[in-house]
């Protein structure tokens, strides 16, 4: 997948503070089986710094690569994609 640019998607989640960017990231990460669906939204997987966990805000952007296989019913028909996901802070000071 990494050598085929047609199969790579880069996604950055942008929104204001407390609008669910990290919760959305956790949900997408759980769909890949990296964390459990129960943990999604609570774990804050991409907030790896201690101060981010303590304050429950994203201070530094974090990224992760995920795999996605399009369902047979879609126009992509079982095509596989590499999703590069970036979770960004929601405040300009960070």
């Amino acid at each position: 997948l990494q050598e085929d640019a047609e199969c790579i998607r880069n996604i950055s989640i942008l929104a204001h503070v407390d609008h669910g960017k990290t919760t959305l990231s956790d949900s997408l990460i759980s769909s890949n089986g990296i964390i459990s669906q129960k943990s999604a939204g609570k774990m804050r997987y991409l907030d790896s710094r201690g101060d981010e966990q303590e304050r429950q805000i994203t201070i530094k952007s974090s990224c992760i690569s995920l795999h996605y296989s399009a369902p047979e019913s879609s126009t992509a028909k079982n095509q596989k994609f590499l999703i590069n996901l970036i979770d960004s802070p929601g405040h300009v000071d960070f």
Side-chain angles (χ1 to χ4, degrees), residues 23-40:
T23 302
L24 175 59
S25 295
D26 275 1
S27 294
L28 293 170
I29 292 166
S30 75
S31 72
N32 262 234
I34 297 169
I35 62 174
S36 71
Q37 287 188 334
K38 283 184 179 181
S39 297

Side-chain angles (χ1 to χ4, degrees), residues 39-59:
S39 297
K42 298 175 194 145
M43 182 176 225
R44 305 182 63 84
Y45 185 79
L46 292 177
D47 287 347
S48 56
R49 295 168 37 133
D51 56 345
E52 290 178 319
Q53 289 289 333
E54 183 180 312
R55 295 171 65 185
Q56 295 189 346
I57 58 171
T58 302
I59 297 172

Side-chain angles (χ1 to χ4, degrees), residues 65-84:
S65 293
L66 305 171
H67 289 258
Y68 175 75
S69 295
E72 173 108 13
S73 60
S74 73
T75 56
K77 296 205 192 245
N78 292 328
Q79 188 174 1
K80 295 182 188 291
F81 294 94
L82 178 65
I83 309 291
N84 295 315

